Amino acid sequence: MEDQKIRNMEEFSAVSGISRPTISKYFNDPSSVRKSTRERIEKAIARYGYRPNLFAINQNRKLTRNIGIIVPHIVDPFYAEIVRHIEMRCAEAGYWAIVLGSHGDPERELNALEMLYSLRIAGAIIAPLGDSSVSDRIRQVAADIPTVIFDNHMNGEEIFFGTDNFQSIGLMVDYLCRSGEPPCFLDMPAVNTNARERREAYIRAMEIEGHDPHVIPIQSTGWEFEELGHHAGLEILSARQLPWNTILCANDRLAIGLIAAAFERGLRVGRGAATALRIAGHDDHPMARFTAPALTTVAQDYVSIAENSVSTLFHMIEEGKRPLDPVRRLEGRLILRASA
């Protein structure tokens, strides 16, 4: 048998002379078996080169250690950073994170949900698409499996963690009005509930400041925000019909595209008499510090959103109880840099 490939635990048990339940117990938790038995198993592993299918072992448990994660776009830096923190916490707690993207498509979001459901996940952390999301199916999954929603709420009874857009946008509008001209608002495509909330928050904040809001719409449903900000910037800066030379962008990725457009139009961005335009954003994108000039923005608390989501999910899985405070909207933090 030493020259034969060991295909499963039954064969490994036969050649090693160790019972199948003991071997299974070892692979679930090596410290759960006696030291002498553990040494025998490890010696047999080295001798026969056996490696079990840990995923199959996990699936055969009464409760799997799989955590399903669905985000609209994994390449979006916001979602990538949240997923990174969740994956690390899952690994530390002995869970496997299974990450799927819906790619901004409701049908793909539904397919991702069904895939995770078929894998008998222990729990799910989901950033829904928003208004176009398959909300009813997400609620059905949440009724069967511990589920936490983050970033885009569904206006229901879901357990939710995300940024308070009215606080964060209001914070930026207040700063821009105090430090110079009031801002116009470069809207983001209606891809999720944040798009609507940030636009409404801007309008409300401008009215509080005593100014008429000026929203610059973007006619698109895509997620290529840098490209959209660049294209919109070339158009609006060429037309020179803005009421003020300050623009607040609904997210940093739009602002990055807008800064590039200003450079191409020969307009200097920043504070002071020698500048032609002030640009601010929202999110604190990882590249926001490295634009030229560095981008003034409102930082979302990536770590707190991820930590609240995963800690609450683990509590629901292990205790079987909903949190007493199921909705938490976290405040944004003003980050002042050279662009505004």
Side-chain angles (χ1 to χ4, degrees):
M1 289 290 289
E2 290 188 47
D3 296 329
Q4 180 180 331
K5 181 177 177 60
I6 305 300
R7 294 172 297 181
N8 52 48
M9 277 196 197
E10 284 73 19
E11 291 185 0
F12 183 65
S13 173
V15 299
S16 65
I18 303 167
S19 72
R20 168 70 167 75
T22 300
I23 293 171
S24 178
K25 190 177 180 182
Y26 169 84
F27 282 117
N28 281 322
D29 180 9
S31 65
S32 66
V33 300
R34 289 181 301 177
K35 181 180 178 182
S36 59
T37 304
R38 185 165 67 246
E39 290 173 349
R40 285 181 61 202
I41 294 172
E42 290 169 353
K43 184 177 180 180
I45 289 172
R47 179 179 180 184
Y48 296 106
Y50 174 63
R51 292 293 182 271
N53 185 335
L54 295 179
F55 186 78
I57 294 171
N58 185 39
Q59 289 302 102
N60 287 328
R61 290 172 171 160
K62 183 177 180 181
L63 177 65
T64 73
R65 303 291 287 182
N66 298 332
I67 299 296
I69 305 169
I70 300 177
V71 295
H73 275 275
I74 192 62
V75 296
D76 185 292
F78 170 77
Y79 294 118
E81 189 67 8
I82 295 289
V83 167
R84 184 177 74 84
H85 284 287
I86 293 174
E87 280 188 313
M88 291 172 62
R89 286 284 281 109
C90 284
E92 291 168 1
Y95 287 92
W96 292 10
I98 302 173
V99 184
L100 299 175
S102 58
H103 303 280
D105 181 354
E107 185 173 346
R108 289 180 181 271
E109 183 179 66
L110 179 60
N111 291 339
L113 281 167
E114 301 305 336
M115 172 64 76
L116 292 179
Y117 200 79
S118 71
L119 292 175
R120 297 175 56 241
I121 55 175
I125 300 176
I126 301 172
L129 294 178
D131 294 340
S132 64
S133 197
V134 288
S135 301
D136 289 343
R137 183 57 180 140
I138 293 175
R139 292 189 182 99
Q140 290 172 358
V141 169
D144 292 340
I145 300 168
T147 301
V148 172
I149 304 300
F150 78 96
D151 190 45
N152 302 307
H153 62 80
M154 300 188 302
N155 295 313
E157 299 299 320
E158 68 268 14
I159 297 162
F160 172 77
F161 297 99
T163 297
D164 183 343
N165 288 308
F166 288 89
Q167 179 270 340
S168 58
I169 291 291
L171 189 67
M172 181 59 79
V173 170
D174 173 72
Y175 163 73
L176 293 173
C177 288
R178 285 188 291 105
S179 59
E181 292 182 325
C184 306
F185 185 74
L186 182 58
D187 205 2
M188 62 189 285
V191 294
N192 56 29
T193 54
N194 285 322
R196 181 179 67 251
E197 281 193 355
R198 291 179 190 179
R199 180 174 60 254
E200 292 173 355
Y202 163 76
I203 293 171
R204 179 187 298 182
M206 288 290 283
E207 290 172 347
I208 291 172
E209 295 289 340
H211 301 291
D212 291 331
H214 184 87
V215 176
I216 307 165
I218 288 184
Q219 304 301 327
S220 172
T221 58
W223 286 76
E224 301 79 16
F225 297 130
E226 293 88 354
E227 182 179 342
L228 294 172
H230 179 254
H231 179 73
L234 292 176
E235 289 189 345
I236 61 178
L237 297 177
S238 296
R240 295 183 178 273
Q241 294 179 345
L242 296 176
W244 309 292
N245 291 320
T246 298
I247 303 176
L248 168 58
C249 300
N251 64 46
D252 287 349
R253 293 178 60 192
L254 288 169
I256 289 170
L258 180 58
I259 288 174
F263 176 81
E264 291 182 28
R265 290 288 182 258
L267 299 174
R268 185 175 177 185
V269 175
R271 292 175 282 183
T275 59
L277 191 67
R278 292 195 303 165
I279 295 175
H282 188 288
D283 291 344
D284 201 20
H285 183 295
M287 294 301 295
R289 293 183 297 133
F290 304 108
T291 56
L295 183 62
T296 288
T297 186
V298 179
Q300 297 200 68
D301 193 338
Y302 295 74
V303 174
S304 291
I305 292 173
E307 181 60 32
N308 275 278
S309 297
V310 75
S311 295
T312 298
L313 184 69
F314 289 165
H315 177 78
M316 293 169 65
I317 293 170
E318 293 160 11
E319 303 295 330
K321 298 177 182 178
R322 281 176 61 92
L324 297 176
D325 185 15
V327 176
R328 285 199 62 190
R329 293 184 176 272
L330 306 172
E331 291 190 349
R333 181 168 53 92
L334 190 63
I335 306 294
L336 298 182
R337 299 192 180 106
S339 71

